[in-house]
Amino acid sequence: MLNTLIAKSLPIVPKPIVKAVASRYIAGEDIPAAVASVRSLNAIRAKATIDVLGEFVSSRTQAQEETAMSHRVVEAIHEHKLDSGLSVKLTSLGLDIEDEFCYNNVFGIIKRAKEIGRFVRLDMENSPYTTKTIDIYKRLRADGLDNTGVVIQSYMRRSEDDVRDLVKMNASFRLCKGIYKEHESIAFQGYEEVRNNYKKLLPIMMEAGCYVGIATHDDELIDFARHYIAKHSIATNKYEFQMLLGVRESKRDELIREGHAMRIYVPFGHDWYGYSVRRLKENPDMAGHVVKAMFGIGQ
Ligand SMILES: Cc1cc2nc3c(=O)[nH]c(=O)nc-3n(C[C@H](O)[C@H](O)[C@H](O)COP(=O)(O)OP(=O)(O)OC[C@H]3O[C@@H](n4cnc5c(N)ncnc54)[C@H](O)[C@@H]3O)c2cc1C
């Protein structure tokens, strides 16, 4: 009840409070902060994927700046020999401006990442971009870039068709539930429905021999994946678990101890607000954290 109230009133919570509470989910505002965060993850045998915060860019100049920033991240990964890839949102690289412009931007980033042996994941955004994102993924692969992968959201009703299509080209997947608000005509709304679709899609990907990033903090789905992997002797080079920075760290450590590969999504940048609000809305302990921060306790 209190969580729901606080989630609804987050837009009026002062930004410094949101920043204080959300700081665990964000590496910081610049590349050195992201590098430091990835270093400490690599030290506990977790891989990373760095995300430059920012989406829905509306000018060419902004998209070019975002593209240049992604190039700087790739160079930092190389220079500091980080066990990390990059995650990119196509809208921040110009998908809303012009398809060809966006394609050239993302192609350049992934080509450079390939030269230094790193992987670039195309994050999946909301439904107006699903088909475009998948099409760009296919085109990148056709153009010889195999160091890239796509994301499937289990809340989308279309996802089974997408997966059955994409396994034919041995796609590299990240499977998650999906974070955006979508209409019930195109997306499952119930918690169990979304879970059940996740449990349906993961075996299709794994049976086809595709690489899967199992992106979830949900115990039931983690256990489902663990059992499936053990029962079907899925090789360790065919999957990894993925979690967000600052979320369920003890579960993260448990999976690493069991010998599973683990990759942490490490967001950084000036545009931290929207991302932080989304994470706080998912956090069941949010009310307590926000109230503590409001009263200056424990921050
Ligand atoms: C690596 C990674 C990449 C992602 N990429 C995308 C993407 O490209 N597109 C997209 O739409 N979505 C993406 N997501 C978000 C995803 O779709 C879900 O919204 C998010 O992971 C929450 O779903 P869940 O499976 O963890 O289950 P939930 O049911 O939300 O969470 C399960 C449990 O985990 C804990 N938990 C979850 N979130 C938090 C939190 N913020 N703070 C504290 N505890 C928490 C709680 O105990 C909760 O009960 C990504 C998620 C991950 C982990």
Side-chain angles (χ1 to χ4, degrees):
M1 180 66 179
L2 183 56
N3 273 322
T4 314
L5 251 174
I6 291 196
K8 284 203 171 133
S9 51
L10 265 177
I12 57 161
V13 173
K15 269 197 172 185
I17 301 286
V18 176
K19 191 172 185 177
V21 179
S23 59
R24 57 186 279 210
Y25 302 126
I26 314 281
E29 295 202 356
D30 54 16
I31 290 181
V35 169
S37 180
V38 172
R39 273 225 173 99
S40 55
L41 290 166
N42 288 171
I44 57 158
R45 286 186 291 130
K47 304 164 192 291
T49 181
I50 300 179
D51 166 55
V52 183
L53 289 171
E55 49 204 287
F56 304 114
V57 154
S58 57
S59 77
R60 277 181 181 259
T61 315
Q62 253 181 312
Q64 278 157 348
E65 280 166 13
E66 295 289 331
T67 305
M69 183 54 127
S70 289
H71 276 280
R72 286 201 287 279
V73 173
V74 173
E75 296 313 324
I77 289 170
H78 185 41
E79 185 192 333
H80 297 279
K81 299 184 175 57
L82 301 178
D83 190 350
S84 179
L86 183 70
S87 286
V88 293
K89 289 191 176 54
L90 292 179
T91 56
S92 78
L93 303 178
L95 192 58
D96 265 337
I97 299 163
E98 195 216 324
D99 291 1
E100 206 55 27
F101 170 67
C102 176
Y103 186 78
N104 291 333
N105 288 340
V106 73
F107 182 89
I109 295 165
I110 300 175
K111 185 166 170 288
R112 177 62 187 140
K114 185 169 170 142
E115 286 164 7
I116 64 153
R118 296 301 194 281
F119 188 88
V120 181
R121 177 76 56 186
L122 307 180
D123 281 348
M124 186 58 82
E125 299 175 73
N126 46 341
S127 55
Y129 306 106
T130 313
T131 301
K132 281 184 166 198
T133 303
I134 291 175
D135 287 349
I136 286 184
Y137 172 68
K138 288 179 176 171
R139 188 172 162 197
L140 289 163
R141 288 282 309 272
D143 285 346
L145 296 179
D146 51 8
N147 59 322
T148 183
V150 75
V151 177
I152 293 291
Q153 298 154 320
S154 73
Y155 67 9
M156 293 296 286
R157 294 183 194 272
R158 59 177 282 172
S159 285
E160 184 176 349
D161 290 341
D162 287 334
V163 170
R164 292 198 185 279
D165 176 38
L166 285 160
V167 294
K168 291 184 206 144
M169 62 188 298
N170 191 26
S172 166
F173 293 104
R174 171 195 293 157
L175 179 60
C176 65
K177 286 181 180 172
I179 185 77
Y180 303 90
K181 181 97 195 103
E182 299 288 358
H183 193 266
E184 61 175 1
S185 59
I186 57 166
F188 299 112
Q189 307 291 315
Y191 198 77
E192 283 306 319
E193 280 180 309
V194 176
R195 258 187 180 159
N196 289 340
N197 204 34
Y198 198 109
K199 292 182 193 168
K200 187 175 189 182
L201 299 176
L202 183 65
I204 302 174
M205 296 169 176
M206 288 192 153
E207 261 166 41
C210 294
Y211 192 89
V212 191
I214 306 160
T216 182
H217 317 97
D218 184 342
D219 278 329
E220 187 167 320
L221 294 181
I222 292 171
D223 288 345
F224 175 84
R226 272 173 166 154
H227 288 134
Y228 188 90
I229 288 161
K231 188 169 170 203
H232 298 273
S233 307
I234 305 293
T236 45
N237 64 355
K238 283 293 184 186
Y239 74 92
E240 64 190 24
F241 283 92
Q242 297 187 350
M243 290 188 176
L244 302 172
L245 185 69
V247 181
R248 302 221 57 201
E249 291 171 347
S250 56
K251 180 60 78 176
R252 171 197 74 189
D253 296 346
E254 181 187 317
L255 288 164
I256 295 172
R257 273 198 308 276
E258 283 176 13
H260 301 288
M262 169 65 69
R263 188 177 302 275
I264 304 298
Y265 189 95
V266 177
F268 83 98
H270 299 289
D271 204 359
W272 51 269
Y273 184 76
Y275 181 85
S276 306
V277 168
R278 286 206 293 273
R279 295 285 83 79
L280 288 173
K281 284 184 176 171
E282 288 170 340
N283 183 351
D285 301 327
M286 177 179 66
H289 291 311
V290 172
V291 172
K292 274 188 204 159
M294 288 275 205
F295 293 96
I297 310 162
Q299 292 301 317

Short mmCIF file of all heavy atoms in Angstrom, two decimals, residues 156-204:
data_model
loop_
_atom_site.label_atom_id
_atom_site.label_comp_id
_atom_site.label_asym_id
_atom_site.label_seq_id
_atom_site.Cartn_x
_atom_site.Cartn_y
_atom_site.Cartn_z
N MET A 156 5.46 -9.70 -24.25
CA MET A 156 4.91 -9.43 -25.58
C MET A 156 4.29 -10.70 -26.18
O MET A 156 4.95 -11.74 -26.24
CB MET A 156 6.01 -8.91 -26.52
CG MET A 156 6.55 -7.55 -26.14
SD MET A 156 5.31 -6.23 -26.25
CE MET A 156 5.18 -6.03 -28.01
N ARG A 157 3.05 -10.58 -26.65
CA ARG A 157 2.37 -11.74 -27.22
C ARG A 157 3.08 -12.24 -28.48
O ARG A 157 3.03 -13.41 -28.81
CB ARG A 157 0.91 -11.39 -27.54
CG ARG A 157 0.08 -11.10 -26.30
CD ARG A 157 -1.37 -10.82 -26.66
NE ARG A 157 -2.08 -10.23 -25.54
CZ ARG A 157 -2.70 -10.94 -24.58
NH1 ARG A 157 -2.71 -12.25 -24.63
NH2 ARG A 157 -3.32 -10.32 -23.59
N ARG A 158 3.74 -11.34 -29.20
CA ARG A 158 4.40 -11.71 -30.45
C ARG A 158 5.71 -12.47 -30.23
O ARG A 158 6.29 -13.00 -31.19
CB ARG A 158 4.71 -10.44 -31.27
CG ARG A 158 5.61 -9.45 -30.55
CD ARG A 158 5.96 -8.24 -31.43
NE ARG A 158 6.99 -8.57 -32.40
CZ ARG A 158 7.37 -7.76 -33.38
NH1 ARG A 158 6.80 -6.58 -33.52
NH2 ARG A 158 8.31 -8.12 -34.22
N SER A 159 6.20 -12.51 -28.98
CA SER A 159 7.57 -12.98 -28.76
C SER A 159 7.81 -14.42 -29.22
O SER A 159 8.88 -14.72 -29.74
CB SER A 159 7.98 -12.82 -27.29
OG SER A 159 8.22 -11.45 -27.03
N GLU A 160 6.82 -15.30 -29.06
CA GLU A 160 7.06 -16.68 -29.49
C GLU A 160 7.35 -16.72 -31.00
O GLU A 160 8.26 -17.41 -31.45
CB GLU A 160 5.87 -17.59 -29.14
CG GLU A 160 6.18 -19.04 -29.50
CD GLU A 160 5.10 -20.02 -29.11
OE1 GLU A 160 4.17 -19.65 -28.35
OE2 GLU A 160 5.19 -21.18 -29.57
N ASP A 161 6.57 -15.96 -31.78
CA ASP A 161 6.81 -15.93 -33.23
C ASP A 161 8.19 -15.37 -33.52
O ASP A 161 8.92 -15.87 -34.39
CB ASP A 161 5.76 -15.06 -33.94
CG ASP A 161 4.38 -15.72 -33.91
OD1 ASP A 161 4.33 -16.95 -33.70
OD2 ASP A 161 3.38 -15.01 -34.09
N ASP A 162 8.56 -14.29 -32.80
CA ASP A 162 9.88 -13.70 -33.02
C ASP A 162 10.99 -14.70 -32.72
O ASP A 162 11.95 -14.84 -33.47
CB ASP A 162 10.06 -12.45 -32.14
CG ASP A 162 9.23 -11.27 -32.62
OD1 ASP A 162 8.92 -11.21 -33.82
OD2 ASP A 162 8.87 -10.41 -31.78
N VAL A 163 10.82 -15.42 -31.59
CA VAL A 163 11.86 -16.37 -31.20
C VAL A 163 11.97 -17.49 -32.24
O VAL A 163 13.07 -17.84 -32.69
CB VAL A 163 11.58 -16.95 -29.79
CG1 VAL A 163 12.51 -18.12 -29.49
CG2 VAL A 163 11.73 -15.87 -28.73
N ARG A 164 10.81 -18.03 -32.67
CA ARG A 164 10.84 -19.13 -33.65
C ARG A 164 11.49 -18.69 -34.96
O ARG A 164 12.15 -19.47 -35.64
CB ARG A 164 9.44 -19.69 -33.88
CG ARG A 164 8.91 -20.41 -32.65
CD ARG A 164 7.74 -21.33 -32.95
NE ARG A 164 7.20 -21.89 -31.72
CZ ARG A 164 7.71 -22.93 -31.06
NH1 ARG A 164 8.77 -23.55 -31.55
NH2 ARG A 164 7.16 -23.37 -29.94
N ASP A 165 11.33 -17.43 -35.29
CA ASP A 165 11.96 -16.88 -36.49
C ASP A 165 13.47 -16.69 -36.25
O ASP A 165 14.30 -17.11 -37.06
CB ASP A 165 11.27 -15.54 -36.80
CG ASP A 165 11.91 -14.82 -37.96
OD1 ASP A 165 12.30 -15.50 -38.93
OD2 ASP A 165 12.04 -13.58 -37.90
N LEU A 166 13.82 -16.11 -35.10
CA LEU A 166 15.22 -15.75 -34.85
C LEU A 166 16.12 -16.95 -34.58
O LEU A 166 17.33 -16.89 -34.85
CB LEU A 166 15.29 -14.75 -33.69
CG LEU A 166 14.85 -13.33 -34.05
CD1 LEU A 166 14.48 -12.53 -32.80
CD2 LEU A 166 15.94 -12.60 -34.83
N VAL A 167 15.56 -18.04 -34.04
CA VAL A 167 16.44 -19.21 -33.79
C VAL A 167 16.99 -19.75 -35.12
O VAL A 167 18.07 -20.34 -35.14
CB VAL A 167 15.73 -20.36 -33.00
CG1 VAL A 167 15.39 -19.94 -31.59
CG2 VAL A 167 14.53 -20.91 -33.73
N LYS A 168 16.28 -19.50 -36.21
CA LYS A 168 16.73 -20.01 -37.52
C LYS A 168 18.08 -19.40 -37.91
O LYS A 168 18.82 -19.97 -38.71
CB LYS A 168 15.70 -19.68 -38.61
CG LYS A 168 14.41 -20.45 -38.47
CD LYS A 168 13.49 -20.12 -39.64
CE LYS A 168 12.03 -20.33 -39.27
NZ LYS A 168 11.14 -19.36 -39.89
N MET A 169 18.36 -18.19 -37.40
CA MET A 169 19.66 -17.58 -37.72
C MET A 169 20.62 -17.67 -36.53
O MET A 169 21.60 -16.96 -36.47
CB MET A 169 19.48 -16.13 -38.18
CG MET A 169 18.88 -15.22 -37.14
SD MET A 169 18.47 -13.58 -37.79
CE MET A 169 20.08 -13.02 -38.27
N ASN A 170 20.34 -18.62 -35.61
CA ASN A 170 21.20 -18.80 -34.43
C ASN A 170 21.44 -17.48 -33.69
O ASN A 170 22.57 -17.13 -33.37
CB ASN A 170 22.53 -19.45 -34.85
CG ASN A 170 23.33 -19.92 -33.65
OD1 ASN A 170 22.76 -20.22 -32.60
ND2 ASN A 170 24.64 -19.93 -33.79
N ALA A 171 20.34 -16.79 -33.42
CA ALA A 171 20.45 -15.48 -32.76
C ALA A 171 21.02 -15.63 -31.35
O ALA A 171 20.86 -16.67 -30.71
CB ALA A 171 19.06 -14.84 -32.67
N SER A 172 21.67 -14.58 -30.89
CA SER A 172 22.07 -14.49 -29.48
C SER A 172 20.98 -13.68 -28.77
O SER A 172 20.68 -12.55 -29.16
CB SER A 172 23.41 -13.77 -29.36
OG SER A 172 23.63 -13.42 -28.00
N PHE A 173 20.40 -14.30 -27.75
CA PHE A 173 19.25 -13.67 -27.09
C PHE A 173 19.60 -13.16 -25.69
O PHE A 173 20.41 -13.76 -24.99
CB PHE A 173 18.12 -14.69 -26.87
CG PHE A 173 17.47 -15.19 -28.12
CD1 PHE A 173 17.77 -16.46 -28.61
CD2 PHE A 173 16.54 -14.42 -28.80
CE1 PHE A 173 17.15 -16.95 -29.76
CE2 PHE A 173 15.90 -14.90 -29.93
CZ PHE A 173 16.21 -16.17 -30.42
N ARG A 174 18.91 -12.09 -25.28
CA ARG A 174 18.70 -11.81 -23.86
C ARG A 174 17.19 -11.98 -23.66
O ARG A 174 16.40 -11.42 -24.43
CB ARG A 174 19.09 -10.38 -23.49
CG ARG A 174 18.67 -10.00 -22.06
CD ARG A 174 18.73 -8.50 -21.81
NE ARG A 174 20.09 -7.99 -21.83
CZ ARG A 174 20.40 -6.71 -22.09
NH1 ARG A 174 19.44 -5.84 -22.35
NH2 ARG A 174 21.65 -6.32 -22.10
N LEU A 175 16.80 -12.78 -22.66
CA LEU A 175 15.38 -12.95 -22.39
C LEU A 175 15.03 -12.25 -21.08
O LEU A 175 15.62 -12.53 -20.03
CB LEU A 175 15.04 -14.45 -22.29
CG LEU A 175 13.58 -14.80 -21.99
CD1 LEU A 175 12.62 -14.26 -23.05
CD2 LEU A 175 13.41 -16.34 -21.87
N CYS A 176 14.09 -11.29 -21.15
CA CYS A 176 13.64 -10.59 -19.93
C CYS A 176 12.12 -10.52 -19.96
O CYS A 176 11.48 -10.94 -20.93
CB CYS A 176 14.25 -9.19 -19.87
SG CYS A 176 13.70 -8.10 -21.18
N LYS A 177 11.54 -10.01 -18.87
CA LYS A 177 10.07 -9.91 -18.83
C LYS A 177 9.57 -8.72 -19.66
O LYS A 177 8.55 -8.81 -20.32
CB LYS A 177 9.61 -9.72 -17.39
CG LYS A 177 9.71 -10.97 -16.54
CD LYS A 177 9.19 -10.69 -15.13
CE LYS A 177 9.27 -11.93 -14.26
NZ LYS A 177 8.95 -11.62 -12.85
N GLY A 178 10.29 -7.61 -19.61
CA GLY A 178 9.85 -6.39 -20.30
C GLY A 178 9.47 -5.33 -19.28
O GLY A 178 8.77 -5.64 -18.30
N ILE A 179 9.87 -4.09 -19.51
CA ILE A 179 9.75 -3.05 -18.50
C ILE A 179 8.71 -1.98 -18.83
O ILE A 179 8.26 -1.25 -17.97
CB ILE A 179 11.15 -2.40 -18.25
CG1 ILE A 179 11.16 -1.37 -17.11
CG2 ILE A 179 11.70 -1.74 -19.49
CD1 ILE A 179 11.17 -1.96 -15.78
N TYR A 180 8.31 -1.86 -20.10
CA TYR A 180 7.45 -0.74 -20.49
C TYR A 180 5.97 -1.08 -20.28
O TYR A 180 5.60 -2.24 -20.15
CB TYR A 180 7.73 -0.36 -21.96
CG TYR A 180 9.18 -0.02 -22.19
CD1 TYR A 180 10.10 -1.01 -22.56
CD2 TYR A 180 9.64 1.27 -22.00
CE1 TYR A 180 11.44 -0.70 -22.75
CE2 TYR A 180 10.99 1.59 -22.20
CZ TYR A 180 11.88 0.59 -22.57
OH TYR A 180 13.21 0.89 -22.74
N LYS A 181 5.15 -0.03 -20.27
CA LYS A 181 3.70 -0.23 -20.15
C LYS A 181 3.17 -0.49 -21.56
O LYS A 181 3.29 0.37 -22.43
CB LYS A 181 3.09 1.05 -19.55
CG LYS A 181 1.62 1.00 -19.35
CD LYS A 181 1.26 0.63 -17.90
CE LYS A 181 -0.19 0.23 -17.80
NZ LYS A 181 -0.42 -1.22 -17.71
N GLU A 182 2.58 -1.66 -21.79
CA GLU A 182 2.06 -1.98 -23.12
C GLU A 182 0.58 -2.35 -23.02
O GLU A 182 0.14 -2.85 -21.99
CB GLU A 182 2.83 -3.16 -23.73
CG GLU A 182 4.33 -2.91 -23.93
CD GLU A 182 4.64 -1.93 -25.07
OE1 GLU A 182 3.71 -1.46 -25.75
OE2 GLU A 182 5.84 -1.64 -25.26
N HIS A 183 -0.15 -2.16 -24.11
CA HIS A 183 -1.58 -2.44 -24.12
C HIS A 183 -1.84 -3.95 -24.07
O HIS A 183 -1.06 -4.73 -24.63
CB HIS A 183 -2.22 -1.84 -25.38
CG HIS A 183 -3.71 -1.81 -25.31
ND1 HIS A 183 -4.50 -2.82 -25.84
CD2 HIS A 183 -4.55 -0.91 -24.74
CE1 HIS A 183 -5.77 -2.53 -25.62
NE2 HIS A 183 -5.84 -1.39 -24.95
N GLU A 184 -2.95 -4.32 -23.42
CA GLU A 184 -3.24 -5.76 -23.25
C GLU A 184 -3.46 -6.47 -24.58
O GLU A 184 -3.34 -7.69 -24.66
CB GLU A 184 -4.45 -5.97 -22.34
CG GLU A 184 -5.72 -5.34 -22.86
CD GLU A 184 -6.93 -5.67 -21.98
OE1 GLU A 184 -6.75 -6.37 -20.98
OE2 GLU A 184 -8.03 -5.22 -22.32
N SER A 185 -3.79 -5.72 -25.65
CA SER A 185 -3.98 -6.39 -26.95
C SER A 185 -2.66 -6.95 -27.49
O SER A 185 -2.67 -7.88 -28.28
CB SER A 185 -4.58 -5.40 -27.96
OG SER A 185 -3.71 -4.29 -28.09
N ILE A 186 -1.54 -6.40 -27.04
CA ILE A 186 -0.25 -6.89 -27.56
C ILE A 186 0.65 -7.49 -26.47
O ILE A 186 1.66 -8.12 -26.79
CB ILE A 186 0.53 -5.77 -28.29
CG1 ILE A 186 0.75 -4.54 -27.38
CG2 ILE A 186 -0.18 -5.36 -29.58
CD1 ILE A 186 1.78 -3.57 -27.95
N ALA A 187 0.27 -7.28 -25.20
CA ALA A 187 1.17 -7.76 -24.13
C ALA A 187 0.38 -8.42 -23.01
O ALA A 187 -0.69 -7.94 -22.62
CB ALA A 187 1.98 -6.59 -23.58
N PHE A 188 0.93 -9.52 -22.48
CA PHE A 188 0.34 -10.14 -21.30
C PHE A 188 0.45 -9.16 -20.14
O PHE A 188 1.47 -8.48 -20.01
CB PHE A 188 1.09 -11.43 -20.93
CG PHE A 188 1.05 -12.48 -22.02
CD1 PHE A 188 2.20 -12.83 -22.71
CD2 PHE A 188 -0.14 -13.11 -22.34
CE1 PHE A 188 2.16 -13.80 -23.71
CE2 PHE A 188 -0.19 -14.08 -23.34
CZ PHE A 188 0.97 -14.43 -24.02
N GLN A 189 -0.59 -9.12 -19.32
CA GLN A 189 -0.59 -8.17 -18.20
C GLN A 189 -0.37 -8.88 -16.86
O GLN A 189 0.15 -8.28 -15.93
CB GLN A 189 -1.94 -7.42 -18.14
CG GLN A 189 -2.34 -6.74 -19.45
CD GLN A 189 -1.43 -5.56 -19.80
OE1 GLN A 189 -1.13 -4.75 -18.94
NE2 GLN A 189 -1.01 -5.48 -21.05
N GLY A 190 -0.77 -10.14 -16.76
CA GLY A 190 -0.72 -10.84 -15.48
C GLY A 190 0.70 -11.30 -15.15
O GLY A 190 1.45 -11.73 -16.05
N TYR A 191 1.06 -11.23 -13.87
CA TYR A 191 2.40 -11.64 -13.42
C TYR A 191 2.69 -13.08 -13.84
O TYR A 191 3.76 -13.39 -14.37
CB TYR A 191 2.45 -11.48 -11.89
CG TYR A 191 3.84 -11.45 -11.32
CD1 TYR A 191 4.62 -10.30 -11.41
CD2 TYR A 191 4.37 -12.57 -10.69
CE1 TYR A 191 5.90 -10.27 -10.88
CE2 TYR A 191 5.65 -12.54 -10.15
CZ TYR A 191 6.41 -11.40 -10.25
OH TYR A 191 7.69 -11.38 -9.72
N GLU A 192 1.69 -13.98 -13.61
CA GLU A 192 1.90 -15.40 -13.93
C GLU A 192 1.97 -15.64 -15.44
O GLU A 192 2.75 -16.46 -15.90
CB GLU A 192 0.79 -16.27 -13.31
CG GLU A 192 0.96 -16.51 -11.83
CD GLU A 192 2.34 -17.08 -11.46
OE1 GLU A 192 2.85 -17.96 -12.17
OE2 GLU A 192 2.91 -16.63 -10.44
N GLU A 193 1.14 -14.90 -16.19
CA GLU A 193 1.17 -15.06 -17.66
C GLU A 193 2.55 -14.72 -18.22
O GLU A 193 3.08 -15.40 -19.10
CB GLU A 193 0.17 -14.10 -18.30
CG GLU A 193 -1.27 -14.52 -18.28
CD GLU A 193 -2.14 -13.47 -18.96
OE1 GLU A 193 -2.02 -12.27 -18.61
OE2 GLU A 193 -2.92 -13.84 -19.85
N VAL A 194 3.12 -13.64 -17.68
CA VAL A 194 4.43 -13.19 -18.17
C VAL A 194 5.49 -14.22 -17.80
O VAL A 194 6.36 -14.59 -18.61
CB VAL A 194 4.78 -11.79 -17.59
CG1 VAL A 194 6.17 -11.35 -17.99
CG2 VAL A 194 3.75 -10.75 -18.04
N ARG A 195 5.39 -14.72 -16.56
CA ARG A 195 6.31 -15.78 -16.12
C ARG A 195 6.18 -17.02 -17.01
O ARG A 195 7.17 -17.60 -17.44
CB ARG A 195 5.93 -16.20 -14.71
CG ARG A 195 6.79 -15.65 -13.64
CD ARG A 195 6.37 -16.31 -12.35
NE ARG A 195 7.14 -15.85 -11.23
CZ ARG A 195 6.74 -15.95 -9.97
NH1 ARG A 195 5.56 -16.48 -9.69
NH2 ARG A 195 7.52 -15.54 -9.01
N ASN A 196 4.90 -17.44 -17.24
CA ASN A 196 4.69 -18.66 -18.02
C ASN A 196 5.25 -18.53 -19.42
O ASN A 196 5.81 -19.47 -19.98
CB ASN A 196 3.20 -19.02 -18.07
CG ASN A 196 2.72 -19.52 -16.73
OD1 ASN A 196 3.52 -19.94 -15.89
ND2 ASN A 196 1.42 -19.45 -16.49
N ASN A 197 5.11 -17.35 -20.00
CA ASN A 197 5.66 -17.17 -21.35
C ASN A 197 7.19 -17.23 -21.31
O ASN A 197 7.82 -17.76 -22.23
CB ASN A 197 5.18 -15.85 -21.97
CG ASN A 197 5.21 -15.90 -23.48
OD1 ASN A 197 4.96 -16.95 -24.08
ND2 ASN A 197 5.55 -14.79 -24.11
N TYR A 198 7.78 -16.71 -20.25
CA TYR A 198 9.24 -16.79 -20.09
C TYR A 198 9.66 -18.27 -20.08
O TYR A 198 10.62 -18.67 -20.75
CB TYR A 198 9.63 -16.10 -18.78
CG TYR A 198 11.08 -15.70 -18.65
CD1 TYR A 198 11.47 -14.37 -18.69
CD2 TYR A 198 12.08 -16.66 -18.44
CE1 TYR A 198 12.80 -13.98 -18.54
CE2 TYR A 198 13.41 -16.29 -18.29
CZ TYR A 198 13.77 -14.96 -18.33
OH TYR A 198 15.09 -14.59 -18.19
N LYS A 199 8.88 -19.06 -19.32
CA LYS A 199 9.21 -20.49 -19.21
C LYS A 199 8.98 -21.24 -20.52
O LYS A 199 9.51 -22.33 -20.72
CB LYS A 199 8.36 -21.14 -18.11
CG LYS A 199 8.71 -20.66 -16.72
CD LYS A 199 7.83 -21.39 -15.72
CE LYS A 199 7.87 -20.77 -14.36
NZ LYS A 199 6.81 -21.29 -13.48
N LYS A 200 8.16 -20.68 -21.38
CA LYS A 200 7.92 -21.29 -22.69
C LYS A 200 9.05 -20.91 -23.66
O LYS A 200 9.52 -21.74 -24.44
CB LYS A 200 6.58 -20.76 -23.23
CG LYS A 200 6.09 -21.40 -24.47
CD LYS A 200 4.72 -20.82 -24.76
CE LYS A 200 4.01 -21.54 -25.86
NZ LYS A 200 2.70 -20.91 -26.14
N LEU A 201 9.49 -19.64 -23.59
CA LEU A 201 10.45 -19.14 -24.57
C LEU A 201 11.88 -19.63 -24.32
O LEU A 201 12.62 -19.93 -25.27
CB LEU A 201 10.44 -17.60 -24.58
CG LEU A 201 9.10 -16.96 -24.95
CD1 LEU A 201 9.18 -15.43 -24.82
CD2 LEU A 201 8.69 -17.33 -26.36
N LEU A 202 12.26 -19.72 -23.04
CA LEU A 202 13.64 -20.12 -22.74
C LEU A 202 13.99 -21.49 -23.34
O LEU A 202 15.02 -21.62 -24.01
CB LEU A 202 13.86 -20.10 -21.21
CG LEU A 202 15.28 -20.43 -20.74
CD1 LEU A 202 16.27 -19.37 -21.20
CD2 LEU A 202 15.33 -20.55 -19.22
N PRO A 203 13.12 -22.52 -23.17
CA PRO A 203 13.45 -23.82 -23.77
C PRO A 203 13.52 -23.78 -25.30
O PRO A 203 14.33 -24.48 -25.90
CB PRO A 203 12.30 -24.73 -23.31
CG PRO A 203 11.79 -24.10 -22.06
CD PRO A 203 11.94 -22.63 -22.29
N ILE A 204 12.70 -22.94 -25.94
CA ILE A 204 12.76 -22.87 -27.42
C ILE A 204 14.15 -22.38 -27.83
O ILE A 204 14.77 -22.91 -28.74
CB ILE A 204 11.66 -21.95 -28.00
CG1 ILE A 204 10.27 -22.42 -27.58
CG2 ILE A 204 11.76 -21.87 -29.52
CD1 ILE A 204 9.13 -21.48 -27.99
#
